Amino acid sequence: MTIQWFPGHMAKARREVTEKLKLVDIIFELVDARIPISSANPMIDQIIQQKPRIKLLNKADMADKHMTARWIEHFENQNQHVLAIDAQTGAGLDKMIKMAESILKPKFDRMRAKGIKPRAIRAMIVGIPNVGKSTLINRLAKKNIAKTGNTPGVTKAQAWIKVGKVLELLDTPGILWPKFEDEEVGYKLALTGAIKDTILNLQDIAVYGLRFLQSNYPNVLMERYQFETIPEEIVDMFEHIGRLRGCLMAGGEINYDKTAETIIRDIRGQKLGNLTFDIDV
Ligand code: G4P
């Protein structure tokens, strides 16, 4: 489901996260490893302020591993705590808990010194829709917690999920909005499946995808669509892919919408392998 983010929704989402912030020791900020900048909320620093945070590059199984390593180095150079994870299989989650313990050790040592009884670390997950928040919660809970609609403002009683002895997680994530001032960000969100329905024109998304692959992953493009050489003109690429994949109209003309859909589905479905779309590290 795609949320139409109006200013009122953004304000409400922000208010909800700010409220819950008071309840937790640390934030797990989920982004998509394929678009670690484009899938981040533009105001996350202002919203979270000084609260300790771990940036989790989720869906690392789908991203270009070389680029993920570069992004991790980039965020570490900014003194951010960062980890690549795969919420679906649980890869990286042990490290995540250990990292949270290590970040919060001074706080918990101080509490102990004051005679406050030891307790579990309290955490919440925040991120834009479709980055894998529910998947991560379910993985940590080791069961299926019903997904609250991706709509800020849908309130329900707050509950804590125990994750072993050391961690307690709020069972509802904070849902924040993506950046959409930038058209390129919209295309990247569409190509990774963060925006699924067609707010954007299908052909525009596919054109962006093909141009991106042409510049950054030409070999992958050649192999998937059996190009001997990649045409300069996008329309020629469409023509070739449309014929190859049988996206034709009755008279044998290329069906451009169907071709665009095929290209987008291939990219989302990892048919072109592991790709990272934010490349300006
Ligand atoms: P949200 O709560 O942040 O909105 O995201 P959610 O957990 O619903 O995850 C969105 C989609 O991403 C889900 O796919 C989920 O399985 C997938 N996903 C989450 N984490 C990972 C990961 O680490 N690796 C991979 N490969 N996929 C992940 P879905 O329910 O099948 O929806 P669809 O988007 O595929 O249709």
Side-chain angles (χ1 to χ4, degrees), residues 132-196:
K133 297 179 298 299
S134 307
T135 307
L136 179 58
I137 291 174
N138 286 328
R139 186 82 214 175
L140 291 167
K142 296 196 169 78
K143 61 182 173 204
N144 264 340
I145 310 277
K147 180 167 174 166
T148 322
N150 252 336
T151 318
V154 178
T155 43
K156 68 174 186 123
Q158 206 71 88
W160 294 95
I161 297 164
K162 283 194 193 314
V163 184
K165 287 206 175 86
V166 292
L167 184 68
E168 279 175 13
L169 190 66
L170 274 184
D171 73 339
T172 44
I175 301 164
L176 293 170
W177 61 97
K179 307 177 203 191
F180 16 39
E181 322 79 70
D182 181 346
E183 202 178 37
E184 255 192 72
V185 169
Y187 293 136
K188 291 178 185 183
L189 291 169
L191 287 172
T192 52
I195 300 177
K196 286 209 197 65

Side-chain angles (χ1 to χ4, degrees), residues 58-59 61-62 86-88 128-135 147 150 196:
N58 189 37
K59 308 193 191 186
D61 56 306
M62 298 178 95
D86 171 355
Q88 228 166 33
I128 69 166
N130 287 317
V131 281
K133 297 179 298 299
S134 307
T135 307
K147 180 167 174 166
N150 252 336
K196 286 209 197 65

